[in-house]
Amino acid sequence: MYKAFLIKYSEIGLKGKNKYLFENSLINQIKKSLENIGDFRVAKSQGRIYVECPDIYDYEETVAALKTVFGIAWICPVKIVESIDFEDIKQAVGEFIDNRYADKNFTFKVEAKREDKKYPLTSPQICAQIGAHLLNLYPDMKVDVHNPQVKLMVEVRSNTYIYSENIKGLGGMPVGSNGKAMLLLSGGIDSPVAGYMIAKRGVAIDAVYFHAPPYTSERAKQKVVDLAKLISKYTGPINLHVVNFTDIQLYIYEECPHDELTIIMRRYMMRIAESIAKETGALGLITGESIGQVASQTLESLAATNEVCTMPVYRPLIGFDKQEIVEISEKINTYETSILPYEDCCTIFVAKHPVTKPNIKKIANSEKRLSEKIDELVEEALNTKEVIKVK
Ligand code: ATP
Ligand code: MG
């Protein structure tokens, strides 16, 4: 029955040019989310964003798509009446209630807004008269101004907008309104959630995945591509850089103390991720690390890993418990893919007893055992990386 949606966003902190950029990014993201499901028109009118639907469209599918767009606070299916004549409005409200609520046994309240303060009725008068009109039409309806089951909004602008439902959106900021960052995406539970959370703040995402063929399989890589695809529903297209890490790992394995392998490997991952980030205009790195989750995520280990980065490293899960991360991964539908049991390059060359309190000086010393061959291997890994465009 609805031919349009009113899109509400949180305007806190949005002023002047920021507001304009925010709205334009939001409109772009909404258009993208709907482009494969119909010929929708998305437009700004008097400081609000409306989605106008084609004659035939799937309501559920449309709402589901809008629920993947960061920046939307509320999605309100709305009836637009191309008139502000009060008799037309009364008639339209009557029809709206009849179409939307087969059973009229509910409490309600009318809230009205008028844009033109010269409109013949004040907002309270609009509320009172529409309320009386509805009580007259549908005797089962009852007014409750404090705790109504249905809050009917009537907004008189250049057209009249009637709605009674607020469907919660994702919140956050539209992707693309806040630059780009590089996600270190493994096949695990945490990193896809970390990417989702940073994208929620309006940041576009590219990703890097380190694989170690033949120790890690093609299926393990496909799993990461699948995860990137799942989060791209929210983040938009992702350039996934797949880096062959095998020779680097083998060389570290040969030269360095085995209890320090994971940390040294992680340091090389960060160095390589940062160099790809710089080359592609990303302004920070993102990881799925959380304090204390594993040996490589103690404060000492995080300090040792962080030390090689000059870019900010964003770790949105740093204070989360595993269960909290799992809940988000279920919500964004990455969990089932993340738990598929394929090997990760970090777990292949892992020591039985990795250091949990690495000393940065000692780690840096161990790295000195690597000759300039390591630079050549890094260079080679960068030159041979594969870029998969995921969307
Ligand atoms: P996740 O669930 O994200 O795999 P994890 O709990 O397994 O995390 P680690 O293996 O210590 O933790 O990895 C920490 C972070 O390092 C990951 O969240 C991810 O951002 C990055 N990372 C780990 N392995 C890889 C990889 N093979 N490719 C890209 N990034 C990786
Ligand atoms: Mg992992």
Side-chain angles (χ1 to χ4, degrees):
M1 66 171 274
Y2 291 105
K3 297 209 172 67
F5 294 88
L6 163 63
I7 303 298
K8 291 185 179 170
Y9 52 86
S10 156
E11 286 180 74
I12 298 167
L14 287 178
K15 292 197 196 81
K17 191 165 165 257
N18 281 341
K19 177 167 173 176
Y20 175 78
L21 290 174
F22 180 101
E23 287 173 337
N24 286 348
S25 307
L26 185 54
I27 288 172
N28 274 335
Q29 295 306 322
I30 293 173
K31 282 183 180 163
K32 280 189 197 151
S33 78
L34 297 173
E35 71 189 357
N36 291 327
I37 62 178
D39 191 13
F40 292 81
R41 205 176 89 89
V42 186
K44 193 158 62 174
S45 157
Q46 295 159 316
R48 317 191 78 174
I49 294 172
Y50 295 95
V51 173
E52 291 169 26
C53 309
D55 288 340
I56 298 169
Y57 76 101
D58 184 326
Y59 176 86
E60 299 298 336
E61 191 183 19
T62 305
V63 171
L66 292 171
K67 278 186 176 174
T68 66
V69 180
F70 291 125
I72 297 182
W74 300 99
I75 303 157
C76 309
V78 65
K79 179 180 174 91
I80 303 180
V81 186
E82 288 179 0
S83 165
I84 58 167
D85 177 84
F86 196 60
E87 285 309 310
D88 291 344
I89 296 175
K90 270 165 56 179
Q91 189 187 338
V93 170
E95 285 168 11
F96 175 89
I97 293 290
D98 201 27
N99 287 334
R100 176 63 189 77
Y101 302 97
D103 177 5
K104 311 282 189 298
N105 191 2
F106 58 82
T107 59
F108 78 106
K109 169 191 183 176
V110 183
E111 275 187 20
K113 272 189 196 159
R114 49 174 202 161
E115 196 176 59
D116 180 358
K117 299 300 167 206
K118 293 200 217 76
Y119 191 74
L121 299 174
T122 64
S123 299
Q125 285 170 334
I126 297 175
C127 292
Q129 295 199 22
I130 289 189
H133 177 62
L134 288 174
L135 289 172
N136 196 22
L137 276 179
Y138 310 117
D140 285 349
M141 287 173 65
K142 285 172 211 65
V143 173
D144 180 348
V145 289
H146 300 296
N147 216 351
Q149 286 164 307
V150 173
K151 196 159 84 178
L152 180 71
M153 305 294 300
V154 178
E155 300 186 2
V156 186
R157 300 171 183 271
S158 55
N159 292 317
T160 304
Y161 300 87
I162 304 168
Y163 61 96
S164 63
E165 275 169 281
N166 289 280
I167 301 163
K168 199 163 170 38
L170 277 185
M173 308 185 83
V175 171
S177 60
N178 254 335
K180 184 170 78 176
M182 181 65 69
L183 168 66
L184 282 89
L185 182 62
S186 69
I189 294 171
D190 306 328
S191 45
V193 174
Y196 168 89
M197 288 183 66
I198 296 298
K200 182 173 183 191
R201 301 306 303 160
V203 179
I205 301 287
D206 275 345
V208 51
Y209 166 58
F210 297 91
H211 72 153
Y215 303 97
T216 63
S217 64
E218 198 54 30
R219 285 190 310 178
K221 171 178 153 190
Q222 186 56 43
K223 173 181 168 184
V224 174
V225 175
D226 292 344
L227 284 170
K229 200 169 169 60
L230 287 170
I231 59 168
S232 75
K233 201 170 121 191
Y234 303 93
T235 66
I238 294 174
N239 290 318
L240 173 64
H241 300 261
V242 179
V243 175
N244 186 328
F245 206 49
T246 313
D247 291 344
I248 296 173
Q249 281 191 307
L250 289 175
Y251 185 51
I252 298 173
Y253 188 80
E254 266 165 39
E255 302 295 329
C256 300
H258 288 184
D259 62 346
E260 292 172 3
L261 273 183
T262 309
I263 296 292
I264 295 176
M265 263 160 40
R266 304 263 317 122
R267 282 160 64 100
Y268 275 93
M269 279 188 185
M270 298 306 259
R271 289 179 174 112
I272 292 172
E274 179 166 297
S275 123
I276 302 172
K278 281 187 178 149
E279 178 198 314
T280 56
L283 296 174
L285 304 176
I286 307 165
T287 73
E289 290 158 314
S290 147
I291 294 174
Q293 203 190 74
V294 285
S296 58
Q297 296 174 22
T298 60
L299 286 189
E300 291 84 355
S301 298
L302 286 165
T305 309
N306 200 65
E307 198 225 5
V308 299
C309 303
T310 60
M311 268 187 184
V313 182
Y314 298 108
R315 300 178 170 92
L317 307 181
I318 200 72
F320 279 48
D321 295 341
K322 194 74 187 188
Q323 189 50 34
E324 293 169 316
I325 302 169
V326 165
E327 277 163 28
I328 303 175
S329 76
E330 284 172 335
K331 191 182 93 180
I332 66 173
N333 197 29
T334 51
Y335 183 73
E336 293 299 325
T337 305
S338 287
I339 59 172
L340 294 174
Y342 304 135
E343 59 298 314
D344 179 75
C345 70
C346 282
T347 48
I348 294 217
F349 298 91
V350 83
K352 274 211 188 73
H353 301 289
V355 280
T356 53
K357 294 185 182 203
N359 172 298
I360 295 185
K361 273 198 194 128
K362 200 165 156 271
I363 295 282
N365 252 331
S366 303
E367 277 180 4
K368 286 200 188 114
R369 300 188 197 181
L370 303 164
S371 66
E372 55 284 4
K373 180 174 165 195
I374 192 76
D375 300 326
E376 287 161 24
L377 291 176
V378 167
E379 199 55 39
E380 170 79 4
L382 284 169
N383 289 337
T384 57
K385 77 179 159 64
E386 178 192 4
V387 185
I388 303 175
K389 291 189 186 302
V390 181
K391 60 175 183 181

